[in-house]
Amino acid sequence: MTKQRIQVTIISDTELAIYNMNYLADRINLALSHGGLSATAFWLLKILCRIKVHFLYAIDLANRSATSKTSTHHPDFDFISLHTQHDIDSAPSALIAQLNEQSGLSVNRLIEQGSTVYALVDDSNIVSQLNIGWQPIITVDSPTHLTFTLSPKDAFLGYLFTYPKYRGCGAATKLVEKVCEDAAFRKYSRIVTHIRSTNAPSLNTFKKIGWKRIGWILTSTNGRLLSTRSAKKMGVHIAKANHPAIDG
């Protein structure tokens, strides 16, 4: 019989104390930030009641406000969109590899399924990225495996991610605005997304550029779908998926 070696990592009392202090500092900073008190309340709901809340947000592309169409000053990043296999083949392999780290599925799989991957690029580095699913039914893996059945001419935004060194300079705002312009050009009428109630920075970004909350998603921390308030009334049907996520 082969003996298996089990490696045990021992954390000292000092290391544990530092970790706890850093964690507490993060929670305090969250509470003091814009929208932080609300985010902290939902975090406590998760800790105490084992319930996670996500908000459903959307933007009407035809009636975007002047504020949402006007960008503030941003660094001069390049905007790229990957729609086809040719786009992937034409991009540097290192760039595709970096996109794959934060896109849920691989870029190739997303393109095969009919999605588009968008990003802002600083030289050879990804600044911010997201996926847009153009399909009528989207499957996600957060907060649990769910299917979103969208209304005609809806698109779904997922996996918005900005690398830490570029946060705070408006990169995510610029990227979302550029994607809205592209979706409107493609004759889509609305983009829908879901955002963690504890993610104050993302909520602030979407509110700033004219997105509106259209529903809530309540799940248990063990992955059970509890409720989807207002979503169906707003044209989005959400159900528990019976298979792994195929798009995000």
Side-chain angles (χ1 to χ4, degrees), residues 135-231:
Q135 308 91 316
I137 300 177
I138 302 292
T139 307
V140 302
D141 58 9
S142 176
T144 185
H145 293 308
L146 300 172
T147 59
F148 288 72
T149 303
L150 306 176
S151 296
K153 289 300 178 180
D154 277 357
F156 190 88
L157 184 154
Y159 286 96
L160 173 62
F161 180 81
T162 302
Y163 278 85
K165 67 181 285 188
Y166 295 106
R167 291 174 186 170
C169 69
T173 298
K174 178 178 180 180
L175 178 60
V176 173
E177 288 177 331
K178 295 287 286 183
V179 169
C180 287
E181 291 174 9
D182 191 52
F185 178 77
R186 291 163 169 263
K187 306 303 182 184
Y188 280 81
S189 58
R190 185 172 69 163
I191 304 179
V192 177
T193 192
H194 69 318
I195 310 168
R196 281 185 294 111
S197 59
T198 55
N199 191 345
S202 282
L203 290 169
N204 291 336
T205 294
F206 282 96
K207 290 175 184 177
K208 176 183 175 183
I209 53 179
W211 291 60
K212 305 296 183 184
R213 189 169 68 196
I214 63 169
W216 298 44
I217 306 169
L218 278 69
T219 59
S220 65
T221 53
N222 64 2
R224 191 159 59 95
L225 178 61
L226 302 176
S227 177
T228 56
R229 298 187 59 186
S230 302

Side-chain angles (χ1 to χ4, degrees), residues 30-222:
L30 172 64
L32 295 177
S33 66
H34 181 62
L37 289 178
S38 175
T40 300
F42 284 111
W43 174 75
L44 288 172
L45 181 68
K46 175 185 173 182
I47 297 299
L48 299 176
C49 302
R50 315 302 293 172
I51 293 175
K52 294 191 290 186
V53 177
H54 282 64
F55 295 134
L56 200 63
Y57 269 74
I59 187 164
D60 182 345
L61 297 174
N63 297 306
R64 284 184 294 154
S65 66
T67 300
S68 71
K69 292 181 181 180
T70 303
S71 298
T72 55
H73 175 72
H74 301 290
D76 189 21
F77 300 132
D78 294 323
F79 175 70
I80 64 169
S81 57
L82 304 176
H83 301 280
T84 66
Q85 186 63 46
H86 176 73
D87 294 335
I88 298 174
D89 295 339
S90 300
S93 58
L95 207 64
I96 299 300
Q98 194 177 358
L99 286 169
N100 284 337
E101 294 176 7
Q102 301 295 337
S103 59
L105 298 179
S106 70
V107 174
N108 288 75
R109 283 284 308 280
L110 289 167
I111 300 306
E112 288 173 1
Q113 293 171 0
S115 298
T116 300
V117 179
Y118 296 90
L120 295 181
V121 180
D122 181 20
D123 292 329
S124 59
N125 297 314
I126 299 297
V127 174
S128 187
Q129 66 182 82
L130 60 82
N131 308 339
I132 291 289
W134 310 106
Q135 308 91 316
I137 300 177
I138 302 292
T139 307
V140 302
D141 58 9
S142 176
T144 185
H145 293 308
L146 300 172
T147 59
F148 288 72
T149 303
L150 306 176
S151 296
K153 289 300 178 180
D154 277 357
F156 190 88
L157 184 154
Y159 286 96
L160 173 62
F161 180 81
T162 302
Y163 278 85
K165 67 181 285 188
Y166 295 106
R167 291 174 186 170
C169 69
T173 298
K174 178 178 180 180
L175 178 60
V176 173
E177 288 177 331
K178 295 287 286 183
V179 169
C180 287
E181 291 174 9
D182 191 52
F185 178 77
R186 291 163 169 263
K187 306 303 182 184
Y188 280 81
S189 58
R190 185 172 69 163
I191 304 179
V192 177
T193 192
H194 69 318
I195 310 168
R196 281 185 294 111
S197 59
T198 55
N199 191 345
S202 282
L203 290 169
N204 291 336
T205 294
F206 282 96
K207 290 175 184 177
K208 176 183 175 183
I209 53 179
W211 291 60
K212 305 296 183 184
R213 189 169 68 196
I214 63 169
W216 298 44
I217 306 169
L218 278 69
T219 59
S220 65
T221 53
N222 64 2

